[in-house]
Amino acid sequence: MPEDKSRPPQDRPWENGWTLDTSRTPGTRRLYLAGALAVATIIACVAAIAATDNKGDDSSKTARDEGGLISFSSQPATTTAPQGDSGLSSVSPSPRGPRQQGTGPTVAVTETPKPPKPTASKGSSSKPKPSVTYRSVRSVNFPDRFWHVDDGYVGLDPVSGSESREDSTFKQVKGLANASCYSFATHDGKYLRHRNFVLRADRNDGSSLFKQDATFCPRDAAYTSATMLESVNYPGYFLRHRNFVVRLERFEYSSQFLSDSSFQLVHGLA
């Protein structure tokens, strides 16, 4: 049977001058289909994003139309009160030199204290009598000892018996030479004044020297709730006890002086 030589084998086109048909690359249809699928996917994504944005715009427009506000918290904000006492702090100061009371940093008080209401006794006028402050003066480094008048002089003694309590209780009044300072009167009308730098109880002779000798200004002490008392006519001199005798001495920056010159003005013992 004669061999058909009209089309030579495709695996040897160069033998008879036949060339491959390259007008259409194999797999072109599949590439077209893949490209069409990708374009369709992109169009679907764009449509989904546009629909989501339209929905968000409609929600915002509805909220604006209704006049409402968007709340980011379902519960109201609360304020927690600060811990501790009512804004006040108690600090034990380290030893330091004295300064005038009331000149240091102030502490804000949240509520203004109300003055006590006067109690009118029966048969008396409605005008209240001025209050009288009775004080006893206690040592800081010897807390069981108080100022005590004995034979006209003021010593630092323990209290025993009613008479000792009476001699250790003084009426605190405005300073005779300076109303912002203190003077101390005994139960029999005498005043505590320094003479020869020793504290003693004497009758007021009305002189300017007596008023100055009997006036002492409170100063901040190095101990909590304690006070130092500075002489009016001898600035820089403070009352302190030495060998249990209350004296007036020049200030010195030492722990011994700071403790000996610090006193607590407590309620009267009598």
Side-chain angles (χ1 to χ4, degrees), residues 185-255:
T186 63
H187 63 90
D188 56 357
K190 297 180 180 179
Y191 284 88
L192 302 185
R193 56 88 59 95
H194 64 84
R195 175 186 288 183
N196 296 326
F197 299 100
V198 177
L199 192 65
R200 54 180 297 151
D202 281 343
R203 294 284 179 185
N204 185 3
D205 58 10
S207 64
S208 175
L209 178 61
F210 183 92
K211 293 178 181 179
Q212 294 182 42
D213 288 348
T215 302
F216 306 94
C217 297
R219 302 288 184 254
D220 288 342
Y223 299 88
T224 303
S225 302
T227 301
M228 298 177 68
L229 296 171
E230 183 181 16
S231 172
V232 163
N233 51 352
Y234 283 89
Y237 282 72
F238 294 82
L239 293 176
R240 59 91 53 96
H241 66 81
R242 181 191 292 272
N243 297 326
F244 301 116
V245 175
V246 182
R247 304 173 50 84
L248 189 68
E249 293 189 4
R250 182 190 295 273
F251 173 81
E252 61 182 48
Y253 194 83
S254 66
S255 58

Side-chain angles (χ1 to χ4, degrees), residues 148 159-169 187 269-270:
H148 175 247
V159 175
S160 60
S162 58
E163 183 178 356
S164 177
R165 289 177 177 271
E166 187 176 42
D167 291 336
S168 298
T169 302
H187 63 90
L269 299 177

